[in-house]
Amino acid sequence: MDKTKSGLTTERAQKLHEQYGYNEIPEKKQNKIILWFKQFWGPLPWLLELVAILSFYTGNRVEGLIILLLLIVNGFISLFQRSKTDNALNQLRKSLQINARTLRDGEWKIIPTRELVPGDLVRLRAGDIISADMALLEGSVSVDQSSLTGESLPVELDDKGDLYSGSVLVRGEATAEVQAIGLSTKYGATAELLETSHPPTHMEKIIFTIIKYQFGFNLFLILAISSYILATGGKVSNILPLIIVLLITSIPIAFPTMFTISQTFGASQLAHINNNKGILVRRLAAVQDCATMNVLCTDKTGTLTKNILSISQIVSYAGYSETDVVELAAACSNLSDQDPIDKAVLDYANNRKLKVLKPKKFIPFDPLTKQTQATIELEGKDSIVLKGLPEIIAKESKLPIKSFSDDLLSLSRHGYRVIAVSKGNDLTNQEIIGLIAFEDPIRDDSKELIDELNAHGIDVKMITGDNIETARSIANQLGMKVKVCTTEDLRANPQLAISHNVFANAYPKDKLLIIAQLQKAGYTVGMTGDGVNDSPALHQAEVGIAVASATDIAKNSASYILINPGLGDILMAVKVSREVYQRIRTWALNKIVKSFEIAMLSVFGYIITKNIILSPLLGVLFLFANDFVTISIATDRSKAEARPANWNLYKLIFSAVSLAIVLLIVLATSLVLANQVLHLKFIELMTLTFLLLVLQGQASLYSLRSWPHFWTIIPSKTLFISSIAVWIILIIAAIFGIVVHRIPLASLWFIFIVPLVSLFITDIAKKYVPITDR
């Protein structure tokens, strides 16, 4: 392998690319013919297929052929929608790439892992997902291979050993050489961050519950109308068509497609903000969950602060100079790991041309111990240097410093991030030699961001590993209404997670405790994180947010991945998710309204006329015509609410039923009037009923989607065009008797007037029923 200490050259890497290709595994694509046939498998297709068979069996061959044709056309439409969704997901996958720290041309560079080639030198740290098969060259690491081998215990490696693609580095740091990539890796596994499958979200559970109630109500109506027909000596042959219509209208054919398009569209919106440098959505269901988020727990460093550290003050003890403190701290630092504290120390030392000793052994910072350790040679003897959280270092020191606590308190009250440096012959004989205070400026937008989140009904809680005085100082600078406690207090009284908003001396496990307490109290929790030990908390929170500097494993546990530093883009995530919520809520409201209206019209229509006012064919046509338009709601314009979304199932059902009754009265009145004026045959009345149901449903949809008036929010081009298309098709069908029975031209004015009246009446009625979360 043509490799030196400077790693591969760009020219050599390019030649290896040509030889081995990219470090990726080609996606297996499903056959489109098989996918098309799958559109005919499922509860709703089975029901429609049954209707077609019954139509043929009863001699209504034309109806049967039309239903089969609609099924075939719907198969192609569903396949087209799936193709569009898959293309959007593929674009998201490309955005969610994992990067590697690679030595190229003598410099450590960050490149996409798909560009790795055999022979590349890669620097690994805790939280990295191993993206190729590698040979360990130096370092001591613990590797989780459970996703590959099923072995639950991590594998410990020291200076040599094999690392396999798809495993996770859970502890330590190392340098490794790439041995195999892509399909050539042992387990053929590459890391993919995008998660498309998930258990039902809260929003989906609500919709499923609505469908269940609606289906149960229609079953009750089926039993009631069947009993009525039998008891009154009606035609038994009328029972089956009524059952079919009631069953068809209770099944939401557009539900899966609408949900998928809504989520994908929202994720695509977020990815394309800030000139395509916005927010990457790893878990599509999070586009829904973020709408209900009412608490955001956030780190301090790198999220509310700039994470651009510089040494502000140095305090030395025990006869050591400030130079000694920095030189020993520099020996306990590693620039290749790109740790902000290490970089600040080494920059300070290099700018002043201080001596930087090379350690014999280096143990990187561990969030659990909150310290870094190095073994160096001083005056011919090995010494151990520790650098880390002052309170932890002080506990391990045998030689206390009288002014230590006062110095630490003074520096912390200025908001400095403070570390202690100690030295000793071994870990049991450490002496504190100094404190180093780092200035980490507040991000310019942090204070405004917290105010904005509070205004949107989201309570912000800051969790930091710094001591209580530093935490209090930073929180005051951010303008927070500070109620601060240490995590020691929190563990003694978990209820503080609800009443307090600043938590100091925090360990990763404390984040889990805070989240659990908030969720137990009924809050929907967002959580930011960046490290390997943050992954459980990111996974536990409904909305896990990996910041721009997050490790691979943190990103793999999160719902959202930020590209830009800070949390400024979170406001856009909240806005977009609440817009998605409004679209789905509008769809659910409209579905209940129309289903209830059709069910009651079918039942009372039969009781009054002793005839079926909506045949199975018309029911199927309504299903397709209505869903064709309502699917376009998924990409419609909507307005985000100022407060977190709050699904109130019974309020939603009450509102929908109330509106359905109003619209049913309008429709029934119109049909009676049309019959008296035009003297329609019953089969013509059936066609007019079908037309008015479809067009009235579209008119009321335009009112339901916008508050306070239907003209407040301009509809999207897709929604408007699909509505116009349905109107034109139905009018042509009614005039020329295509599929449906022909109606007199004189009745066409009802097709225009009734939907228009319904639009304005719905706009008035919705002011008196709670159709929003206001």
Side-chain angles (χ1 to χ4, degrees):
M1 193 70 63
D2 181 21
K3 170 180 66 65
T4 67
K5 290 182 179 180
S6 61
L8 296 176
T9 63
T10 301
E11 182 181 358
R12 178 59 178 160
Q14 183 59 41
K15 289 181 179 179
L16 290 169
H17 269 308
E18 295 171 3
Q19 180 180 352
Y20 293 101
Y22 284 104
N23 179 32
E24 58 188 5
I25 295 177
E27 182 183 0
K28 293 181 180 178
K29 294 186 178 180
Q30 288 185 283
N31 186 289
K32 289 191 176 182
I33 296 176
I34 294 174
L35 286 175
W36 182 73
F37 275 109
K38 284 184 176 180
Q39 308 305 314
F40 303 96
W41 189 260
L44 182 61
W46 293 339
L47 181 60
L48 296 179
E49 289 156 12
L50 177 62
V51 174
I53 292 170
L54 290 173
S55 297
F56 281 113
Y57 179 76
T58 55
N60 297 317
R61 294 182 179 179
V62 175
E63 284 194 8
L65 286 172
I66 291 170
I67 292 171
L68 287 178
L69 181 62
L70 286 171
L71 271 170
I72 292 169
V73 172
N74 182 65
F76 283 112
I77 293 173
S78 298
L79 193 62
F80 173 72
Q81 291 288 0
R82 176 174 179 143
S83 178
K84 285 180 63 178
T85 302
D86 286 346
N87 289 336
L89 290 175
N90 286 333
Q91 291 299 315
L92 288 174
R93 284 189 177 94
K94 291 177 182 178
S95 301
L96 288 168
Q97 65 183 8
I98 297 174
N99 294 320
R101 292 172 292 280
T102 309
L103 194 60
R104 291 271 180 94
D105 299 319
E107 295 181 3
W108 288 102
K109 300 178 180 179
I110 295 179
I111 66 170
T113 56
R114 73 186 296 266
E115 295 180 10
L116 289 175
V117 292
D120 262 326
L121 295 184
V122 180
R123 184 66 181 174
L124 302 168
R125 65 179 182 179
D128 285 351
I129 296 176
I130 310 300
S131 50
D133 285 358
M134 304 180 190
L136 190 64
L137 299 181
E138 63 174 7
S140 177
V141 296
S142 180
V143 184
D144 180 1
Q145 297 181 349
S146 58
S147 61
L148 305 176
T149 65
E151 177 59 51
S152 59
L153 295 176
V155 177
E156 303 293 334
L157 299 174
D158 193 1
D159 287 336
K160 63 179 180 179
D162 294 323
L163 303 169
Y164 298 112
S165 177
S167 55
V168 177
L169 203 72
V170 294
R171 184 190 60 78
E173 296 180 357
T175 301
E177 179 185 345
V178 175
Q179 300 292 306
I181 62 173
L183 289 171
S184 299
T185 58
K186 182 174 181 179
Y187 292 97
T190 55
E192 181 176 312
L193 292 179
L194 184 65
E195 179 183 308
T196 54
S197 61
H198 57 84
T201 63
H202 178 67
M203 196 179 292
E204 288 172 310
K205 288 177 181 177
I206 290 289
I207 299 296
F208 282 130
T209 303
I210 292 171
I211 294 169
K212 182 177 68 176
Y213 285 165
Q214 186 176 297
F215 194 77
F217 176 71
N218 282 5
L219 284 178
F220 168 76
L221 289 180
I222 288 171
L223 292 174
I225 193 65
S226 299
S227 300
Y228 174 81
I229 291 173
L230 294 173
T232 57
K235 294 180 180 179
V236 178
S237 59
N238 285 333
I239 295 177
L240 186 59
L242 277 170
I243 290 174
I244 290 172
V245 170
L246 290 172
L247 287 177
I248 286 173
T249 55
S250 65
I251 298 176
I253 188 173
F255 174 66
T257 304
M258 194 271 175
F259 251 61
T260 303
I261 294 174
S262 293
Q263 292 177 160
T264 308
F265 181 68
S268 181
Q269 280 182 295
L270 290 173
H272 288 88
I273 61 174
N274 298 331
N275 296 319
N276 297 328
K277 292 183 178 180
I279 301 175
L280 303 179
V281 180
R282 196 195 71 84
R283 187 174 63 87
L284 287 180
V287 178
Q288 303 168 35
D289 291 334
C290 192
T292 59
M293 180 178 74
N294 46 22
V295 174
L296 177 64
C297 300
T298 175
D299 288 328
K300 173 184 73 70
T301 305
T303 51
L304 300 176
T305 64
K306 293 181 178 179
N307 204 22
I308 303 175
L309 276 63
S310 59
I311 293 179
S312 181
Q313 282 187 242
I314 302 168
V315 179
S316 59
Y317 302 118
Y320 289 91
S321 65
E322 293 183 4
T323 297
D324 294 331
V325 175
V326 175
E327 286 182 345
L328 289 173
C332 210
S333 303
N334 191 330
L335 190 59
S336 65
D337 297 326
Q338 299 180 331
D339 181 85
I341 287 180
D342 287 5
K343 185 178 184 303
V345 171
L346 290 169
D347 284 349
Y348 186 94
N350 292 330
N351 290 339
R352 288 159 179 77
K353 295 181 170 48
L354 303 182
K355 181 172 59 177
V356 179
L357 297 172
K358 185 176 181 180
K360 287 184 173 183
K361 184 177 181 181
F362 178 75
I363 299 177
F365 180 80
D366 187 337
L368 296 177
T369 63
K370 294 197 178 285
Q371 62 185 19
T372 305
Q373 179 182 323
T375 302
I376 61 174
E377 186 176 329
L378 289 175
E379 299 176 355
K381 295 181 180 180
D382 285 350
S383 294
I384 294 178
V385 180
L386 300 179
K387 180 189 72 179
L389 192 71
E391 291 85 353
I392 300 296
I393 301 294
K395 288 179 182 177
E396 297 180 356
S397 174
K398 292 276 185 157
L399 301 172
I401 307 297
K402 288 184 179 180
S403 62
F404 176 83
S405 297
D406 292 338
D407 292 335
L408 178 59
L409 182 62
S410 176
L411 294 171
S412 298
R413 282 178 173 170
H414 284 84
Y416 293 139
R417 189 174 180 183
V418 185
I419 65 166
V421 181
S422 69
K423 181 181 75 72
N425 295 330
D426 53 45
L427 291 175
T428 62
N429 186 26
Q430 288 289 305
E431 178 183 23
I432 295 178
I433 65 170
L435 295 172
I436 302 178
F438 299 86
E439 184 177 10
D440 187 9
I442 299 291
R443 294 187 61 81
D444 298 334
D445 61 346
S446 289
K447 187 177 185 302
E448 181 182 356
L449 171 68
I450 291 174
D451 291 341
E452 286 274 1
L453 288 170
N454 288 336
H456 281 76
I458 299 172
D459 184 25
V460 179
K461 296 180 183 288
M462 186 178 79
I463 306 173
T464 176
D466 292 329
N467 63 53
I468 193 167
E469 292 302 327
T470 299
R472 192 193 310 275
S473 175
I474 296 296
N476 283 325
Q477 292 178 50
L478 290 167
M480 298 176 70
K481 295 178 180 178
V482 182
K483 289 195 73 175
V484 61
C485 70
T486 65
T487 48
E488 289 84 358
D489 299 328
L490 176 69
R491 291 179 210 124
N493 181 12
Q495 289 300 312
L496 295 179
I498 300 168
S499 60
H500 286 58
N501 63 347
V502 180
F503 305 92
N505 295 336
Y507 286 82
K509 63 180 180 181
D510 296 316
K511 295 180 180 181
L512 277 174
L513 175 60
I514 293 168
I515 292 172
Q517 288 299 312
L518 289 169
Q519 290 174 332
K520 188 177 178 181
Y523 292 95
T524 301
V525 184
M527 179 77 217
T528 70
D530 61 355
V532 60
N533 289 288
D534 290 332
S535 57
L538 292 172
H539 184 76
Q540 174 70 25
E542 285 89 348
V543 184
I545 304 163
V547 299
S549 59
T551 60
D552 295 340
I553 193 63
K555 292 177 181 178
N556 202 42
S557 302
S559 306
Y560 291 99
I561 301 172
L562 304 183
I563 297 177
N564 299 309
L567 294 176
D569 290 338
I570 286 298
L571 279 172
M572 183 56 70
V574 171
K575 177 179 179 292
V576 168
S577 65
R578 291 183 185 180
E579 288 174 353
V580 169
Y581 161 80
Q582 288 300 325
R583 296 185 194 111
I584 293 176
R585 195 178 191 281
T586 299
W587 179 88
L589 188 63
N590 183 69
K591 178 64 181 174
I592 301 172
V593 168
K594 297 316 297 178
S595 295
F596 185 83
E597 183 182 7
I598 291 174
M600 299 308 294
L601 179 67
S602 298
V603 171
F604 286 109
Y606 177 84
I607 292 173
I608 294 170
T609 67
K610 296 297 185 291
N611 281 303
I612 298 171
I613 201 163
L614 201 64
S615 68
L617 173 62
L618 293 178
V620 171
L621 288 173
F622 172 82
L623 193 66
F624 282 101
N626 187 61
D627 283 350
F628 177 71
V629 175
T630 55
I631 283 176
S632 61
I633 296 175
T635 58
D636 186 29
R637 294 187 181 96
S638 61
K639 185 178 179 181
E641 295 279 359
R643 310 298 294 177
N646 179 27
W647 279 98
N648 187 322
L649 180 60
Y650 299 106
K651 177 180 172 182
L652 183 70
I653 293 175
F654 171 78
S655 303
V657 171
S658 300
L659 289 172
I661 291 171
V662 172
L663 291 173
L664 181 61
I665 292 171
V666 173
L667 180 63
T669 304
S670 302
L671 290 173
V672 170
L673 182 62
N675 193 43
Q676 290 179 347
V677 173
L678 302 173
H679 305 291
L680 298 172
K681 299 176 183 177
F682 189 77
I683 195 167
E684 293 173 336
L685 189 65
M686 287 175 66
T687 300
L688 184 61
T689 301
F690 160 70
L691 293 174
L692 291 182
L693 273 173
V694 175
L695 301 181
Q696 183 197 52
Q698 290 196 34
S700 60
L701 174 64
Y702 277 83
S703 178
L704 295 177
R705 60 175 287 280
S706 177
W707 180 270
H709 302 290
F710 67 84
W711 63 80
T712 304
I713 303 175
I714 300 173
S716 68
K717 187 184 295 184
T718 303
L719 177 61
F720 184 72
I721 291 174
S722 61
S723 296
I724 295 298
V726 168
W727 274 62
I728 293 172
I729 291 170
L730 291 182
I731 290 172
I732 292 173
I735 292 174
F736 295 100
I738 302 171
V739 180
V740 297
H741 196 279
R742 184 177 178 179
I743 59 174
L745 291 176
S747 63
L748 289 181
W749 70 274
F750 274 91
I751 295 175
F752 293 98
I753 296 298
V754 174
L756 190 62
V757 170
S758 299
L759 174 64
F760 282 97
I761 288 179
T762 304
D763 223 43
I764 295 170
K766 72 184 183 184
K767 294 180 181 179
Y768 300 97
V769 293
I771 72 162
T772 71
D773 291 333
R774 292 176 175 83

